[in-house]
Amino acid sequence: MISPDQQVSRPVAVVGVACRLPGAPGPGALWRLLEEGRAAVREVPEGRARSALLDDLAREHPGVRYGGYLDDIAGFDAEFFGISPREAAAMDPQQRLVLELAWEALEDAGVVPATLRDTPAGVFVGSIADEYAVLSRGSQIGRHTLTGTTRAIIANRVSYTLGLRGPSVAVDTAQSSSLVAVHLAAESVRRGESRLALAGGVNLIVDPAGTAAVARFGGLSPDGRCHTFDRRANGYVRGEGAGLVLLKALDDAVEDGDRIYAVLLGGAVNNDGGTDGLTTPSARAQAEVLRRAWAAAGVAPSELQYVELHGTGTRVGDPVEARGLGLARLGDGPVLQVGSVKTNIGHLEGAAGIAGLIKTVLSVDRRRLPASLNFAEPNPEIDFDGWGLSVRSTGGAWPREGERLVAGVSSFGMGGTNCHIVVAEPPRQESGTPSTQQAVSPDRDSLVPGAHPLLVLSARTGAALREQAARLRDLLTGHDLLDGRDNSAAPDISTAHGVSAGREDSGDAAASTANDASGGSESSGGHGSFGGRRAADLARSLATTRTAFDHRAAITGDVTAGLAALAEGRPAAGLVTGRARTAPVAVLSPGRAASGPAWDGGPTATTPPGGPRSTRPRRRSASGCPGRSGTSSGPSRAARRPGSSTARPSPSPRSSRSRSRPSACLRRSGSSRPSSPVTPSERWPRRTSRACSTCRPPPS
């Protein structure tokens, strides 16, 4: 029952998604993993958190041998973000990963990062572990150790790098940290404190002692699986990864024509309070946070079709969570389907909530619900019929055709902090309202069948440009954009700067276009579907929603062949490559004007009003100013901070530097005072002037 005095929250749109999860380097790969019903849990890979401690512990706790691991957590393109190698080495890999995902989430939303500089954009990141800090502080401590290992800097570094002026908060509520971070971010957007907000969490397994602590606590499953709501529930398996979503007020997102994955209708946070033990959950407290969240979202319990469970698969936690759901619903409405992404990728602890949220957001966007794995026989401690619950054991369409898609996401911390967020499909656009892509795609309707649009790519380095081309080539050959067909075997290239899976020095600005496209069915029509989309959409994203870096390429004609050639570093028809440069402005004399004196300072030159006359021959200069010699003092190429959206900074006296120190004006040839920089108006001096503006008096 919705309390009449409960204020309904302002809806918040999810307009961007980025993640790096076990078996899933991006949202597209995650969706394929979920749709195919695969688990990414494996034995601890070589070189990752293996030690004599765990080998000894494995005899008593065999679950320490398993986990949901990323392929690589060491790869990081420090140069892309303007970070020195020494500082990068001192940074917690969690800082690096979140920084990468922040860029990717913005590009997934079509937001050029530089446009957010000095704006009220917030960053909220959940994290509970300092394993890298423990390891690094036991070795050599240097200048960057403090900032590299302080947990708050995970969020603060994103704000600093992108120049964001909104709240920058690291959240620790134990295992519910990342979902609480999303809730706080959504509230910040609702209050108008943040116009945009990046929110999520990160968790990496780098210290064997961390796994040993979980094992000694008694939380690990001996067989390395999460048997959520199943009779075999015996603990969880650890996992690592990170995810971020970009949030924006729904009204603003609709007005701006953003593509919307899903809408956060409302949420709530509370604590279990006093229970039988510090880590013993409370069904009544969980029921209370559910009711508060549903009331804030303005939905009745019967409207929910699915709940993404905390669902760790523990003997105590699962029955308590089921009872909390039953108490909150009180038998209201049809059977509620439940599931947990932990059965696919393990328990990501501080990042568990964001993993569940991203799964739910993608399910809403694609209008399909994946199966929850490892469910064979219901847990006898759970009254499924009495509480009106059913585990989603097969993938397919949502349960109630024709109704608005509404789901809940739960995450609970071992210290009792509970969070629940309500997710729903976005409102349908009126038929006369164009989508973002339709609104900004140039000449979209004028493309003739079979024609290929112009693809423009850019990157910080030549190697990065080639790698970006290779991934886009793989994308096009996997999903045939040119014909609008969708092939499910396409690779995922959802990183924005090519640092996942150990790829370094890429710095491209467009590869996360795959986030817009991969992993959807043709009929879904969602944010992630390639089906029915033409290559014009890819071309539009590359040209209008990506940062323009120095190394560039343009491809027309057979774009697949052009991308292949660019990836291999060879020339091809329709392929043009180059590097953007800022050169000094030179003014070349076109000869004698139709009327007036000559440019060469000959005998017909006249004296400007109030200025001295000189018979000394004038020296020609590159800038066109007769009083300066040598190269122009126009702007040199300024060093860009990460996130800059332009490869050629506009001339500005504050940021300009002379390529060589200009000589003094002819009238100040004996003075040691340097002349002032040439301003745009001074590049075309008066034809009758022998002196530059620094010494020429104003006209009378």
Side-chain angles (χ1 to χ4, degrees):
M1 189 76 179
I2 299 177
S3 173
D5 58 352
Q6 176 76 45
Q7 184 176 2
V8 175
S9 298
R10 181 186 180 194
V12 173
V14 178
V15 296
V17 176
C19 65
R20 200 90 79 249
L21 300 173
L30 174 62
W31 182 250
R32 287 194 294 276
L33 182 141
L34 295 171
E35 277 276 81
E36 295 166 7
R38 292 185 284 113
V41 175
R42 53 177 169 161
E43 289 196 12
V44 180
E46 291 295 330
R48 291 292 309 280
R50 296 290 291 269
S51 69
L53 171 64
L54 293 186
D55 291 340
D56 293 339
L57 197 60
R59 300 186 184 96
E60 183 181 354
H61 300 279
V64 299
R65 296 192 180 103
Y66 307 101
Y69 288 91
L70 301 181
D71 291 333
D72 174 60
I73 62 172
F76 177 63
D77 194 349
E79 182 182 1
F80 180 88
F81 294 105
I83 297 173
S84 70
R86 179 173 297 180
E87 183 174 8
M91 288 169 58
D92 188 328
Q94 295 182 132
Q95 292 187 21
R96 307 178 205 157
L97 185 52
V98 169
L99 190 56
E100 294 170 5
L101 293 180
W103 187 279
E104 292 174 27
L106 292 173
E107 288 206 328
D108 181 58
V111 176
V112 177
T115 62
L116 299 182
R117 185 165 296 280
D118 298 333
T119 65
V123 182
F124 299 78
V125 183
S127 175
I128 68 173
D130 293 320
E131 294 186 3
Y132 188 81
V134 172
L135 294 176
S136 63
R137 289 177 181 175
S139 58
Q140 184 177 2
I141 297 178
R143 174 184 176 186
H144 302 292
T145 302
L146 181 61
T147 56
T149 57
T150 299
R151 198 184 308 167
I153 304 298
I154 297 175
N156 300 160
R157 192 178 292 275
V158 174
S159 300
Y160 166 76
T161 302
L162 302 180
L164 310 182
R165 293 286 182 85
S168 187
V169 182
V171 179
D172 183 358
T173 59
Q175 288 78 3
S176 58
S177 296
S178 60
L179 197 64
V180 171
V182 174
H183 173 70
L184 295 177
E187 290 299 305
S188 179
V189 171
R190 291 185 179 107
R191 293 193 303 270
E193 181 181 50
S194 299
R195 188 176 186 276
L196 291 172
L198 288 160
V202 61
N203 185 67
L204 295 179
I205 304 172
V206 298
D207 185 3
T211 299
V214 176
R216 293 292 189 190
F217 175 74
L220 292 184
S221 166
D223 56 7
R225 295 290 184 273
C226 291
H227 299 285
T228 303
F229 278 29
D230 188 87
R231 177 186 287 273
R232 297 167 292 170
N234 57 2
Y236 65 85
V237 59
R238 296 191 78 193
E240 67 178 5
L244 290 178
V245 292
L246 181 64
L247 305 181
K248 188 176 187 178
L250 177 60
D251 293 344
D252 293 340
V254 171
E255 182 179 353
D256 294 342
D258 295 325
R259 295 189 62 88
I260 302 170
Y261 281 96
V263 175
L264 308 185
L265 296 181
V269 177
N270 76 352
N271 191 273
D272 291 334
T275 60
D276 294 339
L278 175 63
T279 61
T280 302
S282 166
R284 293 192 177 278
Q286 291 182 12
E288 180 181 341
V289 81
L290 295 174
R291 287 193 293 263
R292 287 181 177 273
W294 298 342
V299 300
S302 59
E303 293 183 61
L304 273 82
Q305 302 178 38
Y306 173 79
V307 167
E308 176 67 18
L309 301 166
H310 182 63
T312 54
T314 59
R315 291 188 177 93
V316 174
D318 281 7
V320 170
E321 183 170 8
R323 186 166 183 264
L325 275 168
L327 291 174
R329 298 179 73 237
L330 296 176
D332 185 5
V335 172
L336 177 65
Q337 296 191 353
V338 297
S340 176
V341 74
K342 293 179 179 64
T343 61
N344 301 92
I345 61 176
H347 187 356
L348 269 64
E349 299 166 348
I354 189 62
L357 180 71
I358 290 177
K359 171 193 170 181
T360 306
V361 163
L362 295 179
S363 298
V364 169
D365 178 58
R366 286 148 173 87
R367 306 188 69 83
R368 291 179 60 82
L369 277 174
S372 187
L373 308 183
N374 307 329
F375 183 79
E377 188 176 355
N379 189 328
E381 300 296 322
I382 297 176
D383 184 3
F384 286 91
D385 293 335
W387 299 128
L389 304 176
S390 173
V391 175
R392 179 78 184 204
S393 57
T394 59
W398 282 67
R400 304 175 207 166
E401 185 177 356
E403 293 188 19
R404 180 177 65 155
L405 305 186
V406 182
V409 182
S410 293
S411 190
F412 308 137
M414 66 179 179
T417 299
N418 309 310
C419 183
H420 187 79
I421 291 178
V422 179
V423 181
E425 65 178 313
R428 298 186 181 277
Q429 297 289 329
E430 298 180 3
S431 58
T433 303
S435 69
T436 303
Q437 295 202 1
Q438 292 173 335
V440 301
S441 294
D443 300 324
R444 179 183 177 92
D445 297 329
S446 65
L447 294 175
V448 297
H452 299 280
L454 174 70
L455 297 187
V456 290
L457 296 76
S458 73
R460 285 198 185 277
T461 67
L465 189 65
R466 292 190 294 273
E467 183 181 350
Q468 182 193 158
R471 297 203 306 278
L472 288 173
R473 174 201 59 197
D474 293 342
L475 176 69
L476 285 173
T477 54
H479 292 267
D480 194 350
L481 280 178
L482 302 179
D483 295 330
R485 294 191 298 269
D486 177 28
N487 299 325
S488 61
D492 192 305
I493 59 166
S494 56
T495 57
H497 38 80
V499 292
S500 70
R503 295 189 296 265
E504 298 182 359
D505 189 36
S506 59
D508 68 86
S512 66
T513 305
N515 282 1
D516 298 350
S518 62
S521 64
E522 184 168 348
S523 61
S524 72
H527 189 288
S529 173
F530 259 151
R533 262 187 216 177
R534 293 182 288 180
D537 296 319
L538 177 61
R540 179 203 62 82
S541 291
L542 292 171
T544 64
T545 67
R546 296 297 181 261
T547 301
F549 293 116
D550 290 351
H551 292 263
R552 303 181 183 182
I555 302 171
T556 188
D558 188 343
V559 294
T560 303
L563 287 169
L566 178 58
E568 297 165 9
R570 56 180 174 81
L575 169 63
V576 179
T577 61
R579 185 172 182 181
R581 299 180 183 276
T582 301
V585 177
V587 178
L588 304 179
S589 172
R592 187 179 298 273
S595 62
W599 273 89
D600 59 5
T604 59
T606 60
T607 304
R613 180 179 180 87
S614 172
T615 58
R616 182 176 179 179
R618 289 199 294 183
R619 290 185 292 175
R620 195 178 297 276
S621 67
S623 68
C625 175
R628 301 185 187 274
S629 62
T631 58
S632 167
S633 61
S636 66
R637 191 162 143 203
R640 289 193 313 275
R641 289 180 53 82
S644 175
S645 62
T646 175
R648 291 182 291 183
S650 58
S652 169
R654 296 183 179 180
S655 61
S656 301
R657 293 182 180 177
S658 301
R659 292 184 180 272
S660 63
R661 183 173 179 177
S663 64
C665 170
L666 290 180
R667 292 191 61 205
R668 296 176 180 260
S669 57
S671 171
S672 61
R673 177 185 176 186
S675 55
S676 63
V678 174
T679 62
S681 63
E682 294 165 318
R683 290 190 181 124
W684 293 91
R686 299 187 180 188
R687 295 182 177 180
T688 57
S689 174
R690 286 188 174 277
C692 68
S693 61
T694 57
C695 58
R696 185 175 65 245
S700 56

